Amino acid sequence: MSKKDLRVKIGEVKTEKGTMKDLEISIGRIFEEEWEEPVGPTPFPSIKDLRNWDFKLLKRYKPFYMPFCDLCCFCTYGKCDLTKNKRGACGIDMAGQQARIVLLACAIGAATHCGHARHLVEHLIEEYGRDTPLSMGENVEIEAPHVRLVCGIRPRKIKDLEIALDYVENQVTHLLSAIHTGQEGHWMDFESKVFHAGMIDHVAMEIADIAQIAVYNFPKADPDAPLVELGAGVVDSKKPTILVVGHNVPPAIAIADYLTKENLVGSVEVAGLCCTAIDLTRYSSFAKIIGPMSWTLRFIRSGLADVIVVDEQCVRTNLVEEAKKIGALFIATSEKNCQGLPNRTNDPADQIVDDLVSGKQPGVLIFDTEKVGEVAVKAALAVAPKRKKKRSLLTPKEIIEGSKKCIKCQECIKACPDNLPVMYAVNDAARGDLSKLAELYEKCIGCARCESACSVNLPLHTYIISAAEKKMTEEKFKIRAGRGPISDIEIREVGQPIVFGEIPGVVAFVGCPNYANGGKEIPEMVDEFAKRRYIITLSGCAAMTAGMFKDEEGKTVYEKYHGRFDAGGVVNVGSCVSNPHISGAAIKIARIFAKRNIRANYEEIADYVYNRIGAVGVAWGAMSQKAASIASGFWRLGVPVIVGPHGSKYRRMLLGRKDRDEDWYVWDARTGKKVYVGPAPEHLFYTAETKEEAMVMIAKLCIRPNDTTKGRAIKLTHYIDLYKKFYGKLPDDIHLYVRTKADIPLTMKDEILAYLEAKGWKEKATPDPTLLPRLIRKKEG
Amino acid sequence: MSKKDLRVKIGEVKTEKGTMKDLEISIGRIFEEEWEEPVGPTPFPSIKDLRNWDFKLLKRYKPFYMPFCDLCCFCTYGKCDLTKNKRGACGIDMAGQQARIVLLACAIGAATHCGHARHLVEHLIEEYGRDTPLSMGENVEIEAPHVRLVCGIRPRKIKDLEIALDYVENQVTHLLSAIHTGQEGHWMDFESKVFHAGMIDHVAMEIADIAQIAVYNFPKADPDAPLVELGAGVVDSKKPTILVVGHNVPPAIAIADYLTKENLVGSVEVAGLCCTAIDLTRYSSFAKIIGPMSWTLRFIRSGLADVIVVDEQCVRTNLVEEAKKIGALFIATSEKNCQGLPNRTNDPADQIVDDLVSGKQPGVLIFDTEKVGEVAVKAALAVAPKRKKKRSLLTPKEIIEGSKKCIKCQECIKACPDNLPVMYAVNDAARGDLSKLAELYEKCIGCARCESACSVNLPLHTYIISAAEKKMTEEKFKIRAGRGPISDIEIREVGQPIVFGEIPGVVAFVGCPNYANGGKEIPEMVDEFAKRRYIITLSGCAAMTAGMFKDEEGKTVYEKYHGRFDAGGVVNVGSCVSNPHISGAAIKIARIFAKRNIRANYEEIADYVYNRIGAVGVAWGAMSQKAASIASGFWRLGVPVIVGPHGSKYRRMLLGRKDRDEDWYVWDARTGKKVYVGPAPEHLFYTAETKEEAMVMIAKLCIRPNDTTKGRAIKLTHYIDLYKKFYGKLPDDIHLYVRTKADIPLTMKDEILAYLEAKGWKEKATPDPTLLPRLIRKKEG
Amino acid sequence: MKLEPYQKAEIPGPSKAFAISNAKLLLAKIKKAKKPLMIIGHKSLELEINGKLLIDYLVEIAKKYRIPVITSTPTYLEIKRRGYETVYPMNLIEAASMVKDPSWTGFDGKGNYDLVFIAGFPYYYEWLTLSGLKHFSSIETISLDPYYQPHASWSFPTMKKEEWAKIINELLE
Amino acid sequence: MKLEPYQKAEIPGPSKAFAISNAKLLLAKIKKAKKPLMIIGHKSLELEINGKLLIDYLVEIAKKYRIPVITSTPTYLEIKRRGYETVYPMNLIEAASMVKDPSWTGFDGKGNYDLVFIAGFPYYYEWLTLSGLKHFSSIETISLDPYYQPHASWSFPTMKKEEWAKIINELLE
Ligand code: SF4
Ligand code: SF4
Ligand code: SF4
Ligand code: SF4
Ligand code: SF4
Ligand code: SF4
Ligand code: SF4
Ligand code: SF4
């Protein structure tokens, strides 16, 4: 692919300048010549091109695999027992198989964003034309850092994105192919492919987001993006309500447009779950956000939605059934999520509305976005008076009566991903006390597995939300609408303090909050680090969750902190596909602050980010394959990621060994010498057991070899301070991070000096760090 | 994608006619105008475009799912228990999950062929230029039936294939994306996507094969392609030997070219496993075929290979280790299969050879095909005298001594995919009798799971092959080299007899023979149906296996039968990627014989094939994800597939219900009436328990609604004859297939008439059958 | 006597067959069933237990308790040869997909079967078919093989062949 | 007392923990171990058994048998508060990846541990870590949770808390 070779053969081309017949053109490269930045070594890199870089990381951060299952069941030779060092019929061993599973997850993740980006770009081109410019606003010159970095092209118009998408699809296909039985076998090469999947995933996401920002005129690098209503309680229950669910926003936008066109704004509520909600609020001032995926059943069963419109990704797969329960009408809009429904795309809108409202067809499939807008609104208006917000919530009496049927089999507890004490809450309920059920609401992730498992078919999830109904209706918060990219001005201001370490770090809260406590702990962590003047970036469901908590003054973190990409900022970039603005900020620092060439220059930039930019990702409740590939995109770029304990289910961690000095040498680009720089960053992929552990690790993983003494002192202050707070003592690895006495935080000087002495600490050098010998300016020896 | 929109923006284009600067072109469609065939309704169909057709098939052939596991472990919500009607945390149920797993397998399969095709086409373009014409020989006008049918384009030069590959990659990405948690949920839509994966897989395979046929000048629709040596015994053990393994032939061809260039033909043996072997023998007269994937360990452990060169697909994943055991040198050549080896692509050939031969690096990775040729040959010449065919086979004494260590734990039996009685054979060996071990050789599929499981680490697979060494060295057979496509002339001759049913059927033996008995049973079935004057087509490992048996006269089926696509022919089309020549023959019949438009006209052609062409696929030991997608490509085209019992591991069958009359109505295109046509074909995907059952079902599944009375009588003759042979009585469904008395085979007239009478049989109509109301020529009513 | 799949890796998941420990249990099942059915595979022609082929045991059970049998070829001919006539040729998975359908009326047209005995197939083939029935039907299934088939409702544990024969012989007494 | 994962779906595969049925067995294991280690999770601060927190039982065992403990925060503070000093702050999987490495010399620099007790983590977290150790190390692992952890070498079955407490109390006597 590095020589991606476009060619066209056509019978007839019509351009503004006339018609050409039987034109045939071959083009060796598609690189613009007018762009002054030289093409780096790896334009459109294939799987193998960055393998060396990956191996460098993988040698420092060895995978620790945790198989979900002793078996492999990938082909009809299987199942194969891979316990311990057994090999499967194809010759694979357990490490290989685990890495292969991780690759599968990441390939699915990357494919999902790529498919999303492709459908979005196709749609936008159809609606707005292929020449729509890709402006990210006045303050953003580097519109697509990932596309530039990886592909080596500079997209100017929306059609330029298609070249990059072709590349991503090509690579996804090769990656998936490597999973076939009897292909790759070595864990290390599987892991390198995992990183590759992550890299192209960031390209795909970036494409999706810049396309929609440009065309729909979402906030463009706007630190003051408006505050938006958030929570299960923000919907006006008296109005007809449309619920949009998913990630690919055009159908939701068509609904908003139709309402605007028909002067119905204010008469119909439009609220959303997951990223479609986030993206809709970047477009429309009247849309509302209910919450993340785990809020799906809560909100639907509350009965407020009259029409449910789903697009793709993170859409609970049995919503047709759930919609039926509450008499809501159901519209599917994506070819990736058809749910067996009749395709009504080519029928007149009114006929579809009739069939829905009359109950002839409780659900339909419509691929025409505009028609979705019309049908959804008309159907909502028509059905709302009829169904009168039918709900499936239950009265205390119903719950108490039902609970008495429990046979105490514990199946609910055993089915719950977090082993929540459902049975005990039910048994209390049978005795008339619903408080335990209501308490579960806080921790429950809305998966309904308990319900599905119940021996006597109690609607357990409904019990939980019914018991907590009051709490649910009181959930009214604010979130800052997704602002999109970080502006060049912001980068110019923070580039140096970040690279020098004076802003102690950039912490990105991303991914789903689909594990217990996610809801409470994310806002707490955000607050802690914003207070400490880290830069906090957020996206997707994590961004919502951060907003779902109010301090004593009734303020969410979005109201409490500013939205600039600067110390102490709480910066919601947008939906999941906005994540590349976070990684992209690091790339931009390399370009704008450090003047590195980024064009097709992945390895050098990753090396730069890895050694200099104290960024860390936190995915506190991530559950999806997309989350896996997003994380691996961060890893390849040299940004460590922390997950909650549930993250162990991703089946492997990438852990450094600070006890092995030999692992932590870099080249000094100035001298060509190998220099010990300490375990910085110590890990690349890490599960924290508790939020306290996570907070300590966040602070530590922001440490980078390039920190100035001032920067290192600031970072150590936070690390040590948090460590002391949560462990009651000094951390046992300070000596690895203190290079000279000037690195020591002033306020802890004596204590640390004593500690260093006890450890026999010696002064260390501060190099111009790199893992790439080719970047040494002076030849060694 | 149906409006696949190519656009180019370039700084500079150099063409033969000069240089253009800052050219920008937008092209709405890429369809040649000069091609007189009109563009059908579904050019470059997306996932949803053939959903209606799929649903028609799926309503007749309902999936019967057989979960491998009660659980789903696809995301970090899991594992989820889906037993019975439980739902996972994402809302999916067991039927949805099983269909999703099938889709995953098929997406992997399609991706694998697509990746293969892409690498091949890129390589050929690089080596031979993009304008290399795609000639399939004088007698083939329709060079790419699948590309024409699906994409609606007519590829003339190799570069034209890239457009189709872009399309396939795009669709693979969307399909994979549908597997993400919280996307598709309904089994029926997953199954429709399965069919879609199969369809694009045939496009991908076709691209790969016509590219290599055209460029490498493989036999072009040649019924008299040369006979080639086949078997584990055909290698001259005195010569330095290179073993090529995999599917993507360029590195093997580079070896052959280097030998030719250096005048070394005859001094070095080149033999192969799997499809690379097949494709190499289509190129080079001196190459030999060892056997299918299951022969891998046999041959390697025999020690004959001095150098092992692997490319991609169906390559046992621990061959680095196996090569080490016998001191063979190892070269990997594909980015999909790097095995953690050092990348030596940019080093001088002699230096690599030195490092290999000296043992400094037992294995290397080389992406430069030409360099692979040079290194492999030089290394083989250098190492052969040193290693002296070191083997890992054992003497009877060694086996007997070793066998005494057996602790009778049965782990070997429990680990064997076929529960072969390994322990009992070992225990006999301990008593000095190796005959049972030698017997296992016939059934063993070479997976080495027994070995891996053995509690006392006995090299059990080596025991088996050592005990059967004599037999192995006597394995010398012939196979006809892959002939490529079916010529237009052949189609013209057989089109009518096939469509009318006078040639009773086309039986395609495809896929791996990786289950016990595959080796014996495939040749037997081929012989039976060739004798009955069916047309037998074969590809890949099944084609090899068919050749691995000699009749009393010492002839293989390739020597016994002609190679024309005509009654009684045994037609090896080539490797796995040659499969589309088989399905393509059906498409060509529709075009050439019936004059249907095939361009972008999938549904109509599938309807044609389904109702008229008595073809059936047999995958008697298929194990791979590729086999799954190949099969599903046949299904969507209306061709049923039979697998052996192990095929149950594909986890679902598509079974018709002949007892439900209402399922078997078609439209009569002449009258617009709905007409009962009997269960023809009865099933779409079927496991046969035994070869006898398979043979009866093969004959039955060739029956089609369109058969003339003569044709039907012939088909029934074979069906009833085989049924009587294997069940000793008349089948109980003849009345469903006899439409008028003229359908009754003459030789069985009385018996069948009596049977019909007893069944209360009534005469039935013979319509012009179609499942598509739009094809009715006269409006109904 | 372990409740462990005979194919080591073919772990079913949380739901596993109950163990058959004696003939009484089998007898009770047969008695309780309104319409039992037996499906026999060709491995029954190879597996010898105490000098007698598995197929002989199975046919004797079918005869004694008048259980109709479904089988394929060549087993069909072998069963006929053993003088049992209530035997229908049908493929295993075809049979399973019929039995799964509550509206199927069986070979006598009088209604579907409610208990399926199964034995004598390649392990994985039987295993998967039983899985299909476990998840997608409410039919009770009993494997009569001398090893554990966890996807059945009931199965013998993987056991010594003599012990198996003892129990089966009791059933035949 | 079933050998069934506490998370219904977390079926390990063919290789499963042996059941701990009495205190003697645990005692023997401790005695035999050259260098035991205990890793304690924060759920031990929530789980009450017979009026006493799991962490208290665990710390008492550690104290009595002088087993060094690895734990994270906030558990670290809680263990210190209980007066046990041989406790090292470390993340569970970090600890597992160290223990897995035969060349790791432990906290005393004298060599790696050979027996790991583990308890008090979120079920799946402990489950997966144990899986990592099962497949990629030869360390013996014992789960002390009152429910079955099948990826351990040894585990209590899922059992009544009183029964669990009885056994543990015997160990503490
Ligand atoms: S992919 Fe390999 S290990 Fe997995 S089931 Fe197939 S042969 Fe076994
Ligand atoms: S719905 Fe809530 S309580 Fe029920 S299983 Fe899921 S997380 Fe547990
Ligand atoms: S699964 Fe149902 S019956 Fe069983 S304990 Fe839970 S609530 Fe009670
Ligand atoms: S890997 Fe998953 S689906 Fe496969 S056997 Fe294990 S738990 Fe079941
Ligand atoms: S994909 Fe669905 S069923 Fe599977 S593990 Fe995830 S939540 Fe459970
Ligand atoms: S190598 Fe042969 S005998 Fe051994 S497990 Fe595989 S198929 Fe069975
Ligand atoms: S696994 Fe090894 S020790 Fe056990 S029975 Fe088989 S040959 Fe003997
Ligand atoms: S037939 Fe099967 S084993 Fe042989 S090459 Fe094809 S997929 Fe591989």
Side-chain angles (χ1 to χ4, degrees), chain B residues 303-306 326-329 383-391:
Chain B
L304 292 183
D306 296 298
I326 57 154
L329 311 181
V383 83
K386 286 178 66 172
R387 63 180 287 280
K388 293 190 187 117
K389 303 290 176 193
K390 179 180 164 197
R391 2 178 284 160

Side-chain angles (χ1 to χ4, degrees), chain A residues 406-412 423 454-456 458 460:
Chain A
C406 167
I407 58 167
K408 302 196 172 65
C409 64
Q410 299 214 35
E411 290 295 322
C412 48
M423 180 185 82
C454 178
S455 304
V456 296
L458 300 179
L460 296 170

Side-chain angles (χ1 to χ4, degrees), chain A residues 73 176 198 209 214 265 303 317 390-391 435 448 469 545 563 624 741 754 781:
Chain A
C73 57
L176 182 59
D209 210 38
V265 173
T317 54
K390 180 181 163 195
R391 4 178 282 161
S435 64
E469 188 177 5
T545 310
S624 73
K741 287 184 183 162

Side-chain angles (χ1 to χ4, degrees), chain B residues 78-227:
Chain B
K79 301 180 181 183
C80 294
D81 176 13
L82 304 181
T83 312
K84 294 246 174 198
N85 50 7
K86 290 201 187 82
R87 286 185 182 275
C90 61
I92 207 162
D93 63 7
M94 189 51 112
Q97 177 59 14
Q98 294 309 304
R100 189 180 177 204
I101 289 174
V102 177
L103 175 57
L104 177 59
C106 292
I108 292 176
T112 304
H113 286 131
C114 179
H116 170 178
R118 176 64 84 174
H119 276 148
L120 192 56
V121 166
E122 276 174 2
H123 175 74
L124 296 177
I125 283 179
E126 212 178 295
E127 299 274 306
Y128 300 84
R130 39 196 322 100
D131 287 318
T132 316
L134 283 179
S135 161
M136 294 297 106
E138 279 165 43
N139 297 326
V140 179
E141 195 267 326
I142 302 175
E143 72 305 289
H146 289 274
V147 173
R148 290 184 180 203
L149 177 67
V150 175
C151 305
I153 62 171
R154 185 168 63 162
R156 293 312 204 184
K157 298 182 173 176
I158 191 165
K159 64 187 172 184
D160 299 332
L161 297 174
E162 292 188 314
I163 298 166
L165 280 173
D166 285 350
Y167 161 73
V168 174
E169 287 167 356
N170 173 270
Q171 293 300 304
V172 164
T173 305
H174 285 310
L175 289 169
L176 183 58
S177 141
I179 290 163
H180 193 281
T181 301
Q183 300 256 55
E184 195 55 80
H186 198 285
W187 64 264
M188 205 149 167
D189 270 302
F190 276 123
E191 293 288 357
S192 165
K193 290 172 171 72
V194 165
F195 287 9
H196 194 68
M199 180 189 75
I200 60 169
D201 188 30
H202 282 240
V203 173
M205 289 187 288
E206 178 175 274
I207 290 170
D209 209 39
I210 64 178
Q212 64 184 2
I213 291 173
V215 175
Y216 290 134
N217 210 16
F218 288 176
K220 293 177 172 177
D222 180 3
D224 300 314
L227 289 168

